[in-house]
Amino acid sequence: MSLQIRLAQQRDIVHLMAVERSAAQLFRQQPEWRFIAEGEVMAPQQHAAFIAERREWLAESDNGECAGFIAVQVQVGDWHIAELSVAGTWQRQGGGPGRVGPGGWQH
């Protein structure tokens, strides 16, 4: 199944939050990182701000499932990854390393 990258929209916020919750569960396997799985996800207002500034993208499957997202902050001449999450069912599939690299988030 292929993934398409698109700008996130306000209607995606509930799905973005679910992806982040799902992604964090991987950290339950490591006691020293468990706090990530038990912590809060980005607030809806944070997603809304990234979306309004066109700084959040999502990876969407052919059937419309949100597989992951990236939110970035603008730095001088560059971007800083504020959040990068991949849904648990999409983790370890090889899609991430090919999308984020020296050339940035690849469409």
Side-chain angles (χ1 to χ4, degrees):
M1 186 174 295
S2 66
L3 296 173
Q4 301 300 315
I5 306 301
R6 67 170 174 82
L7 280 167
Q9 300 175 2
Q10 297 295 326
R11 68 173 188 255
D12 298 318
I13 291 174
V14 67
H15 303 295
L16 300 169
M17 293 175 71
V19 165
E20 189 175 355
R21 276 188 209 96
S22 173
Q25 298 314 301
L26 181 65
F27 292 98
R28 287 196 183 279
Q29 299 171 13
Q30 301 294 325
E32 64 273 15
W33 294 101
R34 188 166 290 156
F35 71 95
I36 294 172
E38 296 168 354
E40 296 294 321
V41 298
M42 280 177 37
Q45 298 85 351
Q46 291 173 292
H47 283 287
F50 280 110
I51 291 168
E53 295 177 11
R54 301 173 57 91
R55 294 187 288 118
E56 190 161 356
W57 293 264
L58 62 85
E60 187 174 57
S61 71
D62 294 336
N63 66 0
E65 178 185 3
C66 183
F69 72 91
I70 186 170
V72 300
Q73 296 171 325
V74 178
Q75 301 291 316
V76 177
D78 213 345
W79 288 354
H80 168 77
I81 297 174
E83 182 64 45
L84 173 67
S85 292
V86 177
T89 56
W90 286 90
Q91 291 178 8
R92 303 184 187 270
Q93 306 279 327
R99 299 243 182 230
V100 179
W105 186 259
Q106 304 297 313
H107 296 248

